[in-house]
Amino acid sequence: MTTNTQTNLSTPVTETLNRHVSVRAFQNKPVSDEMLNAILAAARRSPTSSNMQTYSIVVVRDPETKKQLSVLAGNQQHIIDCDVFLGFCADINRLGIAIEMHGEALAKSLETTLVSSVDAALVGMSAQIAAESFGLGAVMIGGMRNHPQEAAELLGFPQGVYIVYGMSLGWPAWDDVPPQKPRLPAELVIHRERYSQNDPRPLIREYDEALADYYGEQNRNQHRAAWSGPIARRLNSPRRPFLKATLEKMGFNLD
Ligand SMILES: Cc1cc2nc3c(=O)[nH]c(=O)nc-3n(C[C@H](O)[C@H](O)[C@H](O)COP(=O)(O)O)c2cc1C
């Protein structure tokens, strides 16, 4: 596959990033509190919009809670099998309290919703990189937005907190971890100076084939349009159409 980002330069961080694969199969082996703390401490150094730190991380080790979270996420077995589940939440509750300490009220807006969701995304990504640098494996779980209110009740969230995504974390069962998934050609996603005017279709077709070969090698989905096909089927109607109303009920503004 063509790429315009090939390089011989590397650092321990880029090596960790270049080794990334989502891990959904775990050994029955604990992640020590010390290692988890190191991961969380490093993740908390992430940049955060205007230093507002509008996120919270919920650490779940309890098997029964993980079981219920798995059901909420559409029966994702790795949530049960992982040693630690992390919930990365947008949190404007604490922000509201800080503002009330000055006799003011938080003016909620789409911007505060976006800022808190981006903060949650950044801290979670840092946690994943830190975890992978220790040799742990992880997979993010957007399925946690299938039932945001139920997840909030289960985890005891106040108003103004929703789980943007979860993460299953543990020691990988490498024999059951697939090889790295090919990425879209760099030319499709990296634009030099201005957005490319080139027709993306030939490179999308090229990627469809590469991904089909990847799945074929694992005796999975042999559909030739392995990327665009499933996306077309999945996104031809709105995903999670309830989200706007649900998040508004949970204390977020989307206008
Ligand atoms: C925000 C987000 C949510 C995701 N949600 C899920 C999920 O619910 N279940 C799952 O198995 N994988 C989930 N993934 C993992 C992606 O499927 C995975 O990153 C993608 O297929 C690329 O594969 P790779 O990470 O192994 O390179 C999620 C990834 C992200 C970034």
Side-chain angles (χ1 to χ4, degrees):
M1 186 174 296
T2 53
T3 172
N4 57 3
T5 52
Q6 273 165 358
T7 173
N8 291 321
L9 288 180
S10 72
T11 68
V13 176
T14 61
E15 281 165 18
T16 297
L17 289 166
N18 280 316
R19 272 197 309 270
H20 164 77
V21 59
S22 287
V23 168
R24 300 177 181 83
F26 296 100
Q27 299 174 45
N28 185 11
K29 175 180 165 185
V31 176
S32 70
D33 283 336
E34 196 182 10
M35 190 173 283
L36 183 59
N37 287 342
I39 291 164
L40 295 175
R44 274 168 34 71
R45 295 312 318 174
S46 298
T48 155
S49 191
S50 304
N51 197 30
M52 286 190 289
Q53 304 170 63
T54 46
Y55 68 84
S56 281
I57 306 168
V58 189
V59 180
V60 178
R61 287 189 185 267
D62 179 64
E64 183 51 38
T65 309
K66 284 193 292 173
K67 207 163 141 190
Q68 292 183 48
L69 288 166
S70 161
V71 173
L72 292 177
N75 295 313
Q76 298 200 39
Q77 180 66 31
H78 51 83
I79 301 177
I80 297 172
D81 298 341
C82 72
D83 189 54
V84 189
F85 169 92
L86 297 175
F88 292 98
C89 310
D91 186 341
I92 57 170
N93 169 62
R94 184 172 51 238
L95 207 60
I97 293 170
I99 293 167
E100 279 165 24
M101 286 165 67
H102 297 271
E104 305 283 347
L106 172 63
K108 289 184 257 176
S109 64
L110 177 60
E111 177 67 3
T112 49
T113 304
L114 283 177
V115 159
S116 53
S117 303
V118 170
D119 270 3
L122 295 176
V123 77
M125 184 65 224
S126 296
Q128 177 138 3
I129 299 164
E132 290 176 358
S133 76
F134 280 116
L136 294 169
V139 61
M140 293 178 177
I141 310 158
M144 290 318 306
R145 294 192 306 278
N146 288 351
H147 301 283
Q149 260 184 315
E150 288 85 343
E153 275 164 37
L154 179 63
L155 299 174
F157 295 172
Q159 279 285 102
V161 181
Y162 89 94
I163 186 161
V164 182
Y165 62 97
M167 186 181 290
S168 296
L169 183 66
W171 291 102
W174 284 116
D175 287 351
D176 297 320
V177 177
Q180 281 188 309
K181 207 179 270 182
R183 289 294 192 251
L184 284 165
E187 291 92 321
L188 272 183
V189 296
I190 297 171
H191 305 262
R192 307 285 178 184
E193 311 301 339
R194 286 177 65 79
Y195 200 95
S196 169
Q197 299 293 311
N198 295 340
D199 179 1
R201 277 165 279 215
L203 288 176
I204 290 177
R205 282 191 204 101
E206 188 183 307
Y207 183 62
D208 274 338
E209 289 287 328
L211 196 60
D213 290 345
Y214 166 85
Y215 287 134
E217 280 160 21
Q218 298 162 60
N219 300 318
R220 289 166 64 193
N221 176 7
Q222 304 270 355
H223 196 292
R224 294 316 294 172
W227 184 73
S228 59
I231 284 174
R233 287 190 291 281
R234 207 172 173 195
L235 294 178
N236 62 7
S237 60
R239 297 265 293 152
R240 303 186 178 113
F242 55 85
L243 259 187
K244 182 174 189 293
T246 304
L247 290 186
E248 283 173 348
K249 242 189 261 171
M250 294 174 73
F252 289 86
N253 190 329
L254 286 115
D255 292 321

